[in-house]
Structures are given as structure tokens and as C-alpha cells.
Amino acid sequence: MLLQGMKSLKLLTRKSGRLKMLFTEHFCKNQVPCVCLCISSYLCSKKKKENGYEQVDQERYMNLVRSVTSSKASPQTPETLFEEDNLIYGPVSKFKPPVKDVEAKIPKNWVPLINSNKRALPSNSDGKHLLKISLQRHKVPSVTSVLQQTMPLDQAFYLKRWKQRMILELGKDGFAEYTKNIFFQGKLFHAALESVFLSEEVPLKEQEKDTTVSGYLASVQHVLRDISGVKALESAVHHETLHYSGLVDCVAEYRGQLCVIDWKTSEKSKPYLRNTFDNPLQVAAYTGAINHDANYDFQVNCGLIVVSYKDGSPAHPHFMDSDLCSQYWNKWLLRLEEYTEKEKKQ
């Protein structure tokens, strides 16, 4: 009886093992879809977590939220920056940007740059006759005063900012002394150039003694080698038709072209003509005045602006051919008309 029971138990165990293997094999084959079904049903049945901020009355606290977020993003606003600029540099001059076709405007009282009643070539080509006419005090405006009174607003704004910054650094008395020294250096530089042209040689020993202009003279040495046939030095000019006057630095030939030469000193490098601001208009104004002044029996249609540097670095010569002089001559006529209209209103 016991032996029969043991056999039955073994048989049952074998069968149960067989059943277990069959069940496991069947379950593994069908496990993936069952598990995926359970997971998907779990995700669908999962409740979304509530956000506590959604229950806040957003309209009620909208101003508070905006003030907090804006202060975190940028502690300085354009308004605060403008206030700081006003305290340091003064109020900003608001002006409309210049119209693109301003340069294409034609002056109302247009006068040609070249005088058809004068000869194009100089009468004295040997260079022995040098003009040096003293400036007379006429009741006509000078070229410098016209350019100053009609300075573009953007250029005047940056000039004012520069002056204010210099005054902050040097003080009013220090800035006055600085401008006085700049004017004095320019005067000495022009006098030294005049002595060079009159003696037709470069006094190197005198340059070494005078440290004020030695750097400027060393800066223009390579330009002086290309200049010859000087016709005028520090000579006054007067336009007999447009009625304005000025003082020309030099009229001479530069690489074979007769030019109105304007000598400039600068502490900053000015490698391009646009860096010289209104100097091209000044040269064009002097050119037109020479051509319409009976004291000069020759005509000029080119210009040269030479920017020299105190440290002796090579000067930048900016040559203006006849076409470029004509363009700036038209601009000068517009500025002269603007000056005349302002004077009439005053």
C-alpha cells in the first residue's frame, strides 16, 4: 500500500512538472502583449498631478508677477540708462536721421567751382612768385564760422559728449589749458612748415631742439618729398561772388597736381578721408575761393589733407581729385545756404 502510494506521488510529480513546463512555455510566448496591456492601462488610469499655481487668481496678482520677473531679467531699463546719461553728460539731443537724398540736392544759388573767366594754368610756373596775402577783417563770414554754425546734429552731439568727458577728466581749467596747448602746437607746426618751404630744405637740427613740433615734422617728411612748386603760404582768400573768406595753409603741387593743401595735427589715427569730418568741405571752399579771387591768377581743382601725428608716425595724406572736390563743393554750397538762411532769421 505504501509502495503504491509512492509510485502515484512520483507520477503526479512528473505530470505536474510537465504541466508547469507547458504553462511556463505558453506564458512566456504570450507575456509581451499581456504586460503591454497592463502598462498601458496603468498609464491611462494614472491621475494627472495638480499644479497649485493654477488655483491662484492670476489677474489679481498680474502686476506683482510682472514687476518681479522684469526686475530679475534686467535690473537696468532704458529709462534708467537715459537718466544716468543725463546726470553725467546732460540731456541727449533728439534729431531726425538725415534723409538719404540730401547729398543729391542742388544748391539754389549754384556757382561753378572753376571760373571760366580765368586761365586753368598758373601764369608763373617757375615758382619764384609766392603769395602771402594778409587776412582782412571783412563783413563776410569765414569758412570756419560757416562750418561751425551749420555742423550736423549728430556730429555736434558727439563733439559735445567729448568735451563733457574731457571736462570730467581734466576739469574746466584743465580742459581750457588742453585746448590752448593744441592750438599753440598747431600754430608752431604751421610756422615750422612755412620756414621749410621758404628755405626749401628741412632744418633737422632746429626740429630736434623744438620738441613741441619735432614729432609732427618727422611725421610729414615722406609727404614733403612729393610737394613742389609752392604758390601760396598762409594766404587769405575771398570769394567775390559768394562773399566768404578764409586763410589757406598752402597751395602747391603734390605729385604734379596743383592742390589746396590743409595741414592737420591729430592725436588719433585718421587713415580715411571720412575721419577728417568737415575738412574736405573746408578744402573745397578754399579751392572755389581761389578760383574766384582776382588776387590769384591761377586755378585749382584738387585738394590735399595731411594729418600729422605728434609721436612721429607717418602722416596720412588724403588726396582729393577734381571729381571729389566738385562733390564736396556742392556740399559746401548747401552749408553756405543754410548759414545764410539762419543769419536772415536772426
Side-chain angles (χ1 to χ4, degrees):
M1 187 68 178
L2 181 59
L3 182 58
Q4 187 179 358
M6 291 293 291
K7 290 180 179 181
S8 300
L9 182 59
K10 288 181 180 179
L11 181 61
L12 181 61
T13 302
R14 291 176 182 174
K15 290 182 179 182
S16 63
R18 178 65 177 172
L19 291 173
K20 184 177 180 180
M21 291 175 63
L22 292 173
F23 177 75
T24 303
E25 182 179 358
H26 176 73
F27 178 78
C28 292
K29 289 181 180 180
N30 298 280
Q31 184 176 6
V32 176
C34 293
V35 173
C36 291
L37 180 61
C38 293
I39 292 175
S40 61
S41 63
Y42 173 76
L43 292 176
C44 293
S45 62
K46 185 178 180 180
K47 291 184 178 181
K48 185 179 180 180
K49 187 176 180 180
E50 294 182 357
N51 188 354
Y53 290 102
E54 295 180 353
Q55 300 177 0
V56 178
D57 189 355
Q58 296 183 4
E59 295 183 358
R60 181 177 180 183
Y61 299 101
M62 186 177 295
N63 295 332
L64 177 61
V65 172
R66 286 180 178 177
S67 62
V68 172
T69 55
S70 62
S71 62
K72 287 182 178 180
S74 177
Q76 284 187 321
T77 62
E79 289 76 11
T80 58
L81 293 176
F82 280 123
E83 290 178 0
E84 293 179 3
D85 278 354
N86 290 338
L87 291 174
I88 299 175
Y89 303 107
V92 177
S93 299
K94 295 182 179 180
F95 62 91
K96 295 181 180 180
V99 184
K100 293 183 179 180
D101 59 349
V102 170
E103 297 181 0
K105 289 178 60 178
I106 300 176
K108 299 177 183 178
N109 185 21
W110 186 81
V111 177
L113 177 66
I114 302 298
N115 189 352
S116 60
N117 298 325
K118 290 176 68 173
R119 288 170 295 179
L121 297 176
S123 58
N124 297 321
S125 58
D126 54 359
K128 294 180 180 180
H129 182 63
L130 191 147
L131 292 175
K132 187 174 174 61
I133 302 174
S134 301
L135 181 63
Q136 303 295 328
R137 297 298 177 183
H138 300 284
K139 293 183 179 180
V140 296
S142 65
V143 174
T144 303
S145 61
V146 171
L147 293 177
Q148 289 178 348
Q149 295 296 325
T150 60
M151 184 181 296
L153 294 178
D154 56 344
Q155 186 175 333
F157 169 75
Y158 288 116
L159 178 61
K160 183 179 179 180
R161 290 285 291 259
W162 173 79
K163 288 182 178 179
Q164 291 174 342
R165 186 172 66 252
M166 294 296 291
I167 291 174
L168 287 175
E169 295 178 0
L170 304 176
K172 290 184 178 181
D173 296 337
F175 179 71
E177 186 69 20
Y178 170 80
T179 54
K180 183 180 178 180
N181 291 334
I182 292 296
F183 177 77
F184 181 69
Q185 291 176 10
K187 190 175 181 179
L188 289 179
F189 176 54
H190 282 75
L193 287 173
E194 184 177 347
S195 64
V196 170
F197 290 127
L198 292 175
S199 62
E200 296 184 357
E201 61 183 8
V202 181
L204 294 175
K205 294 182 179 180
E206 294 182 6
Q207 295 178 29
E208 294 175 356
K209 293 179 181 178
D210 192 354
T211 58
T212 305
V213 297
S214 60
Y216 295 123
L217 289 174
S219 177
V220 298
Q221 288 303 308
H222 68 289
V223 181
L224 294 177
R225 288 192 288 267
D226 294 328
I227 294 178
S228 61
V230 180
K231 305 298 180 185
L233 284 175
E234 296 292 332
S235 187
V237 294
H238 176 255
H239 199 293
E240 297 172 353
T241 305
L242 297 175
H243 304 293
Y244 66 85
S245 61
L247 190 66
V248 178
D249 289 347
C250 178
V251 179
E253 292 184 4
Y254 174 73
R255 297 180 178 178
Q257 296 286 337
L258 190 62
C259 300
V260 170
I261 303 177
D262 196 19
W263 305 98
K264 298 296 182 183
T265 61
S266 177
E267 295 180 353
K268 294 183 179 180
S269 178
K270 295 182 178 180
Y272 304 106
L273 184 64
R274 63 175 179 270
N275 301 135
T276 60
F277 300 104
D278 283 342
N279 295 149
L281 278 75
Q282 185 179 16
V283 170
Y286 291 155
T287 302
I290 289 175
N291 296 338
H292 292 81
D293 192 334
N295 293 317
Y296 299 87
D297 56 358
F298 55 85
Q299 295 205 76
V300 189
N301 60 357
C302 296
L304 180 67
I305 301 174
V306 183
V307 184
S308 59
Y309 304 106
K310 188 175 183 179
D311 60 358
S313 56
H316 285 111
H318 302 292
F319 177 72
M320 299 169 57
D321 59 10
S322 58
D323 292 337
L324 196 58
C325 279
S326 297
Q327 294 177 20
Y328 280 104
W329 170 250
N330 290 331
K331 294 180 181 180
W332 159 252
L333 292 179
L334 292 174
R335 296 280 288 270
L336 185 61
E337 288 183 357
E338 181 183 351
Y339 174 84
T340 304
E341 292 176 0
K342 287 184 177 181
E343 289 296 314
K344 289 181 179 179
K345 291 180 181 179
Q346 293 179 357

